[in-house]
Amino acid sequence: MRIPIIAGNWKMNNTIKEGIELIEEIKKSKLNKDVESVICVPYTMLKDAKVAVKETNIKLGAQNMHYEENGAFTGEISPLMLKEIGVDYVIIGHSERREYFKETDEDINKKIKTALTHNIKPILCVGESLEERESNIQEKIVNDQIEKALKDVNASKLENIVIAYEPIWAIGTGKTASSDDANEMLVSIRKKIKSLYDEKSSEVIRLQYGGSVKPNNIEELMSKSDVDGALVGGASLKADDFIKLLNF
Ligand code: PEP
């Protein structure tokens, strides 16, 4: 059985003080134990956030990392550094990193493999642009991203990988893919995993939808056959909204 997973991506928001206040608000509510809750915070507050989530079921995630363990990569953070803090998850290949920081599929593949080597679970982001969706090539685009990201990744690792399907046109725009469209893409991703690996692998890997997920659409999305969770940007910055999402 796949455990539902709701992850918040705070992006470049919140000082340490603001972030800890937000975590404390979330901690005050009774969270559904059957849902895995993850918060992906900026690097600067990972250590404090780790202390704040201690003795809760909330898991901690980073939003990126380098694929090397150390070296001359000014400004980068390595998997060893994340591991030292006790980070459970790391977002890899978010569309903002692909677009603004020119991350390639090859970089993403290296990051996925390094994260797995260090027992940090990657949340791999994939998704098509508006233009690609309008040309009806979204399945090809996403399947291609997945094949490249998972190159040389062993089937035994798939239970530790989450794939977040995030159509770029739905991120931070208020436009959500309909629950049927989102599910259709996740069904297609599962089919792709089956063709790259096998049936068992396609059944264990968890698939999220991301793109303007809010309290008013989470229930409908989560009712779909292949939606195992959500990756949430904007709504994860508001305690009330995020609590509603975690308790969908
Ligand atoms: C995201 O950035 O991963 C995201 C889904 O953002 P939002 O929920 O704000 O659309």
Side-chain angles (χ1 to χ4, degrees):
M1 214 198 82
R2 299 187 296 267
I3 297 169
I5 176 167
I6 308 286
N9 172 15
W10 288 5
K11 311 192 183 191
M12 197 175 70
N13 291 296
N14 286 333
T15 59
I16 297 174
K17 184 173 174 293
E18 290 164 344
I20 298 306
E21 279 169 10
L22 180 49
I23 293 173
E24 293 303 329
E25 279 301 305
I26 295 168
K27 276 166 63 179
K28 279 187 208 152
S29 71
K30 201 169 169 311
L31 297 181
N32 182 349
K33 290 211 167 39
D34 299 329
V35 175
E36 196 172 356
S37 315
V38 186
I39 47 166
C40 301
V41 308
Y43 292 136
T44 48
M45 73 175 77
L46 278 172
K47 203 169 171 201
D48 297 82
K50 185 71 192 178
V51 174
V53 299
K54 207 171 153 213
E55 284 159 25
T56 75
N57 291 323
I58 303 169
K59 304 270 176 63
L60 186 63
Q63 300 171 16
N64 179 37
M65 58 161 221
H66 200 273
Y67 49 78
E68 293 290 349
E69 292 182 352
N70 43 50
F73 299 102
T74 302
E76 290 291 318
I77 297 288
S78 94
L80 293 180
M81 296 166 186
L82 296 184
K83 204 58 211 167
E84 184 183 28
I85 291 173
V87 162
D88 307 287
Y89 284 89
V90 61
I91 297 173
I92 300 287
H94 191 279
S95 60
E96 287 153 14
R97 295 217 53 90
R98 293 179 192 252
E99 183 181 352
Y100 306 137
F101 302 97
K102 308 294 169 225
E103 272 189 22
T104 64
D105 288 313
E106 199 193 358
D107 297 329
I108 290 163
N109 174 244
K110 286 185 192 164
K111 291 181 181 196
I112 295 277
K113 288 190 286 193
T114 313
L116 291 168
T117 301
H118 292 280
N119 293 320
I120 303 171
K121 296 178 181 166
I123 299 176
L124 163 66
C125 299
V126 295
E128 81 285 355
S129 66
L130 184 59
E131 204 185 340
E132 289 159 348
R133 161 95 22 189
E134 283 170 352
S135 308
N136 202 24
I137 54 169
Q138 63 275 14
E139 289 194 13
K140 189 196 168 308
I141 295 294
V142 165
N143 285 344
D144 210 46
Q145 289 170 339
I146 288 174
E147 188 160 347
K148 289 176 176 157
L150 298 183
K151 186 168 173 277
D152 300 328
V153 172
N154 195 282
S156 65
K157 303 283 188 188
L158 292 195
E159 62 183 345
N160 292 326
I161 301 178
V162 176
I163 297 180
Y165 164 63
E166 299 206 303
I168 298 167
W169 47 270
I171 297 179
T173 58
K175 287 185 196 153
T176 326
S178 74
S179 54
D180 285 333
D181 284 346
N183 197 50
E184 191 177 291
M185 287 301 289
L186 298 188
V187 167
S188 151
I189 291 172
R190 224 178 275 289
K191 223 185 270 168
K192 179 69 183 172
I193 298 294
K194 187 176 166 188
S195 79
L196 290 174
Y197 295 92
D198 49 39
E199 171 109 38
K200 184 172 165 265
S201 305
S202 74
E203 287 301 322
V204 296
I205 193 163
R206 288 183 294 173
L207 306 180
Q208 293 176 316
Y209 166 77
S212 300
V213 174
K214 304 272 184 275
N216 66 5
N217 55 27
I218 185 79
E219 204 180 329
E220 164 84 13
L221 280 163
M222 292 302 294
S223 71
K224 297 293 168 185
S225 65
D226 285 71
V227 181
D228 302 318
L231 182 57
V232 185
S236 72
L237 293 168
K238 296 179 204 124
D240 286 357
D241 283 357
F242 196 53
I243 290 164
K244 284 183 193 143
L245 298 182
L246 295 175
N247 290 328
F248 66 89

